[in-house]
Amino acid sequence: MNVINESGSLALSTRLQRLSEQLRKDGALVYKEFGIDFEPKWFPVIFTLHHKNILSVVEIANEIGYTHPSTISLLKELERQQIIISKKDKTDERKRLIELAPKGIELIEKMKPVWKIISRVLEEIANNENHLLKAINEAEEKIAEQSFLQRVLQLKNQQ
């Protein structure tokens, strides 16, 4: 066991990032194996638009839980790839509405069978003794109630 693993909860963020990077790396290889030109980082936007059709930039950022600048960066990349299209909202010129382009719709159709396989494999990985997804949900709920920073500051003030 390495130092990071031995450090317990202190390295939680590092370990989650490591797990995420491994899943993303393998995810890219899975899509490549199925002949699909797709970056896993595109998934949250593509999947959200697949289910919600047309959303504003702010709505997408809220749906996927990314900052506004990160979302804009991702949307620009997807637009360059012609996977999404954006248009100005007719009722509010400042607002951009995003939807899947024909290429994006075609991409989703190719991905649906792969998503079924990926989902089964990830369920197998996450369905462990400690129920990974349940634990993540619980941690996210706790952070929504009171952020990591707020908790640290509270403990600091108590000392």
Side-chain angles (χ1 to χ4, degrees), residues 121-135:
V121 170
L122 289 174
E123 282 175 23
E124 185 181 303
I125 291 168
N127 188 16
N128 54 41
E129 181 183 332
N130 298 302
H131 306 285
L132 180 60
L133 288 177
K134 184 178 177 189

Side-chain angles (χ1 to χ4, degrees), residues 134-151:
K134 184 178 177 189
I136 289 171
N137 287 337
E138 290 172 5
E140 287 175 335
E141 286 171 14
K142 283 185 174 184
I143 288 173
E145 290 170 15
Q146 187 180 25
S147 76
F148 173 59
L149 174 61
Q150 290 169 327
R151 290 168 188 266

Side-chain angles (χ1 to χ4, degrees), residues 54-82:
I54 299 175
L55 293 171
S56 70
V57 174
V58 171
E59 290 170 326
I60 291 171
N62 289 338
E63 282 285 332
I64 66 176
Y66 287 15
T67 64
H68 192 263
S70 295
T71 302
I72 288 173
S73 175
L74 196 51
L75 292 173
K76 283 181 180 177
E77 187 175 339
L78 288 166
E79 201 163 19
R80 279 192 304 272
Q81 295 292 323
Q82 299 177 335

Side-chain angles (χ1 to χ4, degrees), residues 24 27-43 46 77-78 80-84 100 102-112 114-115 118:
R24 278 181 185 255
L29 294 173
V30 166
Y31 290 120
K32 189 175 181 178
E33 181 68 28
F34 282 88
I36 299 171
D37 184 21
F38 185 76
E39 294 286 332
K41 67 181 176 181
W42 299 343
F43 176 80
I46 298 296
E77 187 175 339
L78 288 166
R80 279 192 304 272
Q81 295 292 323
Q82 299 177 335
I83 293 171
I84 62 165
L100 290 170
K103 184 178 175 181
I105 294 167
E106 181 183 314
L107 180 63
I108 286 195
E109 289 308 310
K110 287 182 193 174
M111 294 172 73
K112 281 181 181 178
V114 179
W115 285 347
I118 289 172

